[in-house]
């Protein structure tokens, strides 16, 4: 069956009612579009484990800061639909802003808040970002009512926060985290990579190189700051890079780690500006 575009919540409701009535499992992949192989990997996984695969394409205004790239974020629904269709995806849900924010995007009274996971790493430099992410994902999960929802480990903090939201608020869905898909040279795939000039694209290799350097310095009992220093030492080779953070944190709680112990499940997190483009990456020990 060819992929079907669902352009509104009212049309989605009909599809979801049918799926539930027939007892079919639904695998859901929320995205902001401009799809690449990273998104495709999530959908492939969803299609293996569920009867029906649904992706959403929605550039969520509430997760962008006032000076961020909401307006210039790539919108390529036709190509996205073709890619999803080629994978065997059943539906692409592309709601209008009014389907997600019926009271208006800035007039929401109801939101979700965190006590700390949103104040570190990307949360520190993007205030309100994760509130917007939780808000849109909570709405989408309620609208789509999937059996399983798939998220990339590329956005590890987002995945941890959403897993926590679903666990603490008893959302009836299984959250599945999927591995980071990279370009052959190591750069993590991202919709934002298309902003990079040829020179910036080269310099963007700082992120994966820094992760490797830090991971090399991670040994049981080692001081985390020493391992991080090995990554920071690469910066002079990458003059177009402006570092936001390079840190080792517990992979579940996102609490900072001072001394490396395998039991703390340490993970390295990096974010950097490459020209005007902000990129992130992370890696386990
Ligand atoms: P986005 O469209 O950027 O909001 O991403 C939608 C989903 O795709 C999120 O769960 C991301 O973590 C995931 N994703 C984006 N890039 C990658 C990647 N390179 N590898 C794996 N998952 C990814």
């Amino acid at each position: 069956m060819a992929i079907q575009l669902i352009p509104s919540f009212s049309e989605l409701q009909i599809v979801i009612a049918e799926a539930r009535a027939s007892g079919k499992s639904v695998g859901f992949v929320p995205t902001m579009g401009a799809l690449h192989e990273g998104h495709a990997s999530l959908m492939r996984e969803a299609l293996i484990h569920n009867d029906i695969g649904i992706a959403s394409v929605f550039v969520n205004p509430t997760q962008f800061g006032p000076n961020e790239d909401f307006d210039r974020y790539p919108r390529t629904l036709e190509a996205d639909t073709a890619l999803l269709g080629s994978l065997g995806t059943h539906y692409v849900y592309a709601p209008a802003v009014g389907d997600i924010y019926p009271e208006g995007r800035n007039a929401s009274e109801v939101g979700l808040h965190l006590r700390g996971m949103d104040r570190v790493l990307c949360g520190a430099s993007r205030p309100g970002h994760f509130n917007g992410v939780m808000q849109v994902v909570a709405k989408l999960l309620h609208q789509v009512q999937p059996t399983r929802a798939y998220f990339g480990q590329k956005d590890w903090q987002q995945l941890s926060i959403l897993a926590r939201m679903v666990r603490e608020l008893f959302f009836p869905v299984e959250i599945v985290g999927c591995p980071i898909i990279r370009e052959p040279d190591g750069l993590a795939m991202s919709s934002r990579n298309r902003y990079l000039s040829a020179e910036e694209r080269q310099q963007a290799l700082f992120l994966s190189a820094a992760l490797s350097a830090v991971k090399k310095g991670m040994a049981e009992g080692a001081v985390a700051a020493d391992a991080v220093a090995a990554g920071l030492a690469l910066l002079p080779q990458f003059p177009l890079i402006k570092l936001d953070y390079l840190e080792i944190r517990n992979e579940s709680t996102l609490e900072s780690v001072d001394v490396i112990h395998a039991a703390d499940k340490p993970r390295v997190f990096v974010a950097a500006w490459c020209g005007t483009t902000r990129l992130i990456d992370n890696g386990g020990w």
Side-chain angles (χ1 to χ4, degrees):
M1 195 183 84
I3 187 167
Q4 217 174 300
L5 174 70
I6 308 175
S8 67
F9 178 42
S10 56
E11 281 158 89
L12 177 74
Q13 283 175 299
I14 297 165
V15 169
I16 297 303
E18 270 171 22
R20 292 182 74 83
S22 58
K24 289 186 171 161
S25 58
V26 173
F28 177 44
V29 179
T31 82
M32 297 206 301
L35 302 185
H36 49 67
E37 194 50 36
H39 300 106
S41 72
L42 305 187
M43 185 44 84
R44 281 196 199 96
E45 195 63 18
L47 288 167
I48 290 171
H49 299 286
N50 300 276
D51 301 318
I52 297 176
I54 304 184
S56 62
V57 172
F58 180 67
V59 185
N60 173 39
T62 68
Q63 70 189 70
F64 288 80
N67 299 316
E68 293 185 353
D69 56 345
F70 175 69
D71 288 330
R72 74 165 175 148
Y73 200 84
R75 286 154 172 92
T76 59
L77 185 57
E78 217 172 295
D80 295 344
T81 306
L83 172 61
L84 291 166
S86 74
L87 303 171
T89 310
H90 300 83
Y91 300 101
V92 55
Y93 175 42
V97 172
D99 287 304
I100 303 294
Y101 298 103
E103 319 288 333
R105 70 170 87 160
N106 297 316
S108 216
E109 283 284 347
V110 183
L112 286 158
H113 296 275
L114 292 154
R115 286 245 181 94
M117 289 176 89
D118 61 334
R119 292 187 205 143
V120 300
L121 302 173
C122 289
S125 42
R126 304 185 70 188
H129 168 68
F130 288 113
N131 301 85
V133 170
M134 283 193 295
Q135 187 182 39
V136 75
V137 173
K139 284 165 178 271
L140 288 168
L141 291 176
H142 285 135
Q143 290 189 338
V144 176
Q145 302 174 49
T147 317
R148 299 179 188 86
Y150 296 79
F151 295 90
Q153 294 176 351
K154 151 97 178 351
D155 300 275
W156 187 279
Q157 185 174 15
Q158 167 176 286
L159 172 59
S160 309
I161 285 172
L162 294 174
R164 190 72 182 246
M165 173 185 85
V166 159
R167 196 165 81 232
E168 286 204 30
L169 297 181
F170 304 102
F171 279 51
V173 63
E174 182 189 335
I175 298 292
V176 183
C178 301
I180 303 174
I181 305 299
R182 299 175 178 282
E183 300 288 355
D185 64 3
L187 179 66
M189 289 193 185
S190 164
S191 303
R192 292 190 166 98
N193 289 350
R194 67 183 71 192
Y195 297 152
L196 301 171
S197 68
E199 201 185 354
E200 289 166 349
R201 172 67 184 75
Q202 258 325 101
Q203 297 264 310
L205 290 177
F206 166 76
L207 284 92
S208 50
L211 291 181
S212 303
V214 175
K215 282 198 271 182
K216 252 192 220 160
M218 286 168 76
E220 185 65 28
V223 174
D226 293 342
V228 167
L232 297 177
L234 298 178
L235 272 171
Q237 296 169 44
F238 296 91
L240 297 184
I241 290 289
K242 196 171 145 264
L243 186 67
D244 184 352
Y245 59 75
L246 178 61
E247 294 179 28
I248 301 174
R249 290 185 174 265
N250 175 290
E251 69 172 26
S252 308
T253 63
L254 306 181
E255 278 161 10
S256 80
V257 164
D258 296 328
V259 178
I260 309 289
H261 293 299
D264 289 335
K265 294 184 286 175
R267 199 165 185 92
V268 195
F269 296 88
V270 64
W273 293 91
C274 188
T276 56
T277 304
R278 189 172 178 281
L279 301 173
I280 59 172
D281 201 348
N282 69 88
W285 184 7

